Structure formats: C-alpha cells, structure tokens
Amino acid sequence: MRRNPGEVNVLVTRKFPERGMELLKDQGFGVSVWPGEEPMTDKEFLKEAKLSTALFCTLSEKVDRSFLEECSHIDIISQFGVGYDNIDVEAAGELGIPVCNTPDVLSDATADVAFALMINVSRKMFWLHKSIARGEWKYFRPGYGLGIELRGKTLGIFGLGRIGTEMAKRCKGAFGMEVIYHNRNRKAEAEKELGARYVSFEELLLHSDILSVHANLTNETEGIFDMNAFRKMKSSAIFINTARGLMHDENDLATALQKGIIWGAGLDVTNPEPMESDNPLLEMENVAVLPHIGSATTETRNRMSELAASAIVSYYRGERIDNIVNPQALDIKKRE
Ligand code: GLV
C-alpha cells in the first residue's frame, strides 16, 4: 500500500523553483526544503534522508549503494535534471526505489547553450570580450580576432538523444551543416529527418568539424575524449561538451589546444566542477567555458521543478510515470 500524501515527507535538497513545491503542498505532501545555498554534506544528506519518505534532489547529492542501503525506506527519488549519474540506479532498482528525472523539458535550453558555445568559440567571442577589458581595442586591424565560419561544416554528434537532436536541428537549419553521429543505437527517425549519417566513433573523430558531446556518462563514456581521441580529430576542429565533464580529460584537452592538435573548445561542463579560476583554458583565445548552465532559464527550471514534483505525486497516486529511469523498481516488493 502506498502512503497517503499526508504521511509523506519529501526532502527537497535545494531551493528549487517554487512551482514544484506548490504542487506538492497543494496535494497535501509534507515538504522539507534544505535552506542552505550550498549543497548538503554527505552526512547532512544522510541524516535528513533518514527522516524523509521521498527525495527531490539533484546532481550534487551522492546517492550511492551504501546511502540507498541505509535509506531503503525511501519510496521514490525524483531528480531535478536529466542526467542521474550521481544516483546508483541499479542499486535503487534492486531496493524497489523508482528513480525519475526531468528529460525533454530542458532539451531546447541545453541545445541552445551547445549552439551558442559553438558560435562563440568559432568567433572567439569570450576572448574578444575580455580583450576590450584588457584595453586592447585601439584601432581596426584587418587580421585581428579572425574566427572560422560554420556554414557547410560537418557536425558530429556523440550521443544523438533529445538534446543532440535539437543541436543538430539548429546547426542544420542555421548553417546547412551535414550531420554525422555516433550512438549506442541507430536513430532511424533522425536519419530521416536530419539526413544524419551513423558513423563509428573513429569516423566521428576523423570527420567532424564540430564535435558536440550529448551522451550519458557511463563506464564506457567516462574519459573517452582523451589525447588519443583528440589526436584523431582535425586540427581545425571544435570540441563542445554540454553533457558531463568526466567524459573529457581536461589536461589532455588543454594540451591538445595549446599544441594546435584541435582548434577550439566550448564547455558547459568541466572536470572537475567547479573549474578552478586559474585554469589555463580560461585564458585561451579559442575557448569558451560556462559554469554548467545548460538548463538555466526561468521557463525551463520551472518546468523541471513541476515535472520532478509530478513524478512524486503520480507515484503516490499509483499512476503511470513516464520519466522513470528504472521501471523494474516498481516490480520489486519493497521492504517497509
Ligand atoms: C544537467 O546537467 C542535467 O543533467 O540536467
């Protein structure tokens, strides 16, 4: 028997947009919002989770097997975000704890950031902006600040899911780019709609003018963009990562850029996060870095909050949840 909303205390680990909190409260759920701006420590998180029945959390909360075994009383975990590599989803499934995320609603906003980074890098905009502050804009210099054009170039997508598809649409529509992709599975629909061509990982590296990362972080993808990979890329290539910083080796990336092995890089995710303020990448001409803001628009964050809250509401009503990442959890009879 699932609990009634009045018996549920949802631990909300940050001050997420009010929409989701209002939805939960309107339905009669108890809601405890962690008041701090900074993430909880692991110890605080465990202590609070032990007093809760459902979690509304995000990337910064480590929900590993040992946490889950200590908190097997938790009914449902709803993640504010599309990625959920902070959660041991398999362990949660074994313990009968469904894990939900917020896909779709952030695809446009995140693809916009990938697209913006690509343009900014290709025209050195972040660096040129800073050059004005350095007092370097004195007169017109025909050869100063030259970028590269994107029209007609080849876009390589690593991970053609919802966000990768949105990025491909933007690049095709705005710059008539040819789209190649590498994925675990082929995407017949995208091949038809975008004329996207499936290639091996090796071919993706060899042929992309812009290589944009949109895959999930897994054991297979962790560290996949290292010197070995950069060496196979064109010396004129731009590397964009808006997915997870752990997929690239940041020292190798800096070296590849310094040595001209690749041309530029745009990152919304870094390794580690946060990036240190003295990171050499921040001083490079053909580099643009953002502090993991892919989904950061008011509209998108509101939708994420609503979706994460709706999953909790649906769970306790016994309704179907579309955005559940480990549906097998629902078949396990939970130990109460
Ligand atoms: C952000 O990185 C997310 O996974 O939603």
Side-chain angles (χ1 to χ4, degrees):
M1 269 295 282
R2 294 196 183 159
R3 295 173 227 264
N4 294 318
E7 299 162 340
V8 175
N9 179 34
V10 183
L11 170 61
V12 179
T13 61
R14 296 298 186 87
K15 287 183 200 141
F16 296 110
E18 272 304 314
R19 293 272 183 95
M21 309 313 113
E22 281 159 16
L23 205 156
L24 290 168
K25 286 181 197 157
D26 285 352
Q27 299 296 321
F29 289 91
V31 176
S32 306
V33 181
W34 180 252
E37 269 295 310
E38 290 183 24
M40 301 178 185
T41 62
D42 292 348
K43 220 165 134 191
E44 285 165 339
F45 183 40
L46 184 63
K47 185 169 162 229
E48 295 298 319
K50 284 192 169 167
L51 305 172
S52 311
T53 18
L55 300 182
F56 185 129
C57 58
T58 194
L59 281 187
S60 40
E61 278 78 54
K62 192 163 85 193
V63 184
D64 58 11
R65 184 174 285 275
S66 86
F67 172 95
L68 286 162
E69 280 171 356
E70 286 209 53
C71 294
S72 59
H73 65 282
I74 292 287
D75 292 330
I76 176 167
I77 300 173
S78 197
Q79 166 100 339
F80 182 89
V82 66
Y84 44 85
D85 41 280
N86 56 312
I87 304 174
D88 187 333
V89 170
E90 203 181 301
E94 286 166 22
L95 293 164
I97 306 174
V99 176
C100 304
N101 66 343
T102 57
D104 296 318
V105 294
L106 47 63
S107 302
D108 276 316
T110 309
D112 287 343
V113 168
F115 188 66
L117 282 171
M118 175 185 72
I119 298 175
N120 275 292
V121 171
S122 75
R123 300 298 298 271
K124 310 186 177 189
M125 288 180 183
F126 282 32
W127 183 79
L128 289 168
H129 175 105
K130 286 193 287 178
S131 80
I132 301 175
R134 288 192 298 265
E136 290 170 10
W137 187 15
K138 304 227 189 284
Y139 38 78
F140 171 66
R141 283 179 280 167
Y144 177 71
L146 300 189
I148 51 173
E149 293 204 5
L150 295 166
R151 200 158 310 283
K153 296 275 160 75
T154 296
L155 170 72
I157 298 273
F158 182 67
L160 192 68
R162 289 168 277 232
I163 302 171
T165 300
E166 287 306 322
M167 171 66 167
K169 280 188 198 162
R170 283 157 178 69
C171 293
K172 198 172 163 64
F175 298 116
M177 287 190 186
E178 188 195 333
V179 181
I180 57 177
Y181 74 102
H182 182 72
N183 227 38
R184 270 176 308 194
N185 313 305
R186 284 184 72 149
K187 296 286 175 108
E189 208 168 299
E191 291 187 18
K192 209 164 119 202
E193 192 187 346
L194 300 164
R197 194 160 53 82
Y198 180 84
V199 293
S200 66
F201 182 56
E202 174 102 2
E203 286 172 307
L204 188 83
L205 296 171
L206 291 173
H207 301 305
S208 300
D209 293 309
I210 317 299
L211 199 159
S212 193
V213 180
H214 300 282
N216 291 330
L217 176 67
T218 62
N219 290 339
E220 288 77 50
T221 60
E222 183 163 349
I224 192 163
F225 292 98
D226 58 5
M227 189 52 86
N228 214 1
F230 296 130
R231 278 197 199 288
K232 293 186 178 145
M233 289 171 65
K234 297 184 184 183
S235 56
S236 55
I238 296 177
F239 174 77
I240 304 288
N241 190 356
T242 52
R244 285 292 180 270
L246 282 170
M247 278 190 260
H248 65 247
D249 182 315
E250 212 146 283
N251 291 327
D252 283 2
L253 177 61
T255 308
L257 289 159
Q258 271 151 356
K259 293 193 168 166
I261 293 167
I262 65 170
W263 190 84
L267 307 177
D268 182 43
V269 289
T270 63
N271 177 11
E273 286 184 12
M275 177 181 262
E276 295 288 343
S277 59
D278 61 356
N279 191 302
L281 288 168
L282 296 171
E283 294 308 318
M284 290 186 197
E285 222 169 294
N286 305 349
V287 173
V289 186
L290 292 171
H292 203 148
I293 49 97
S295 64
T297 67
T298 304
E299 296 85 343
T300 293
R301 291 275 163 92
N302 281 339
R303 286 194 289 262
M304 290 165 69
S305 183
E306 255 170 24
L307 186 56
S310 308
I312 295 174
V313 173
S314 300
Y315 172 81
Y316 286 104
R317 282 191 187 150
E319 290 169 0
R320 179 192 149 88
I321 313 173
D322 289 327
N323 47 316
I324 176 168
V325 298
N326 59 348
Q328 76 282 7
L330 297 175
D331 302 330
I332 310 262
K333 190 155 170 27
K334 260 182 73 74
R335 286 179 275 134
E336 293 288 342

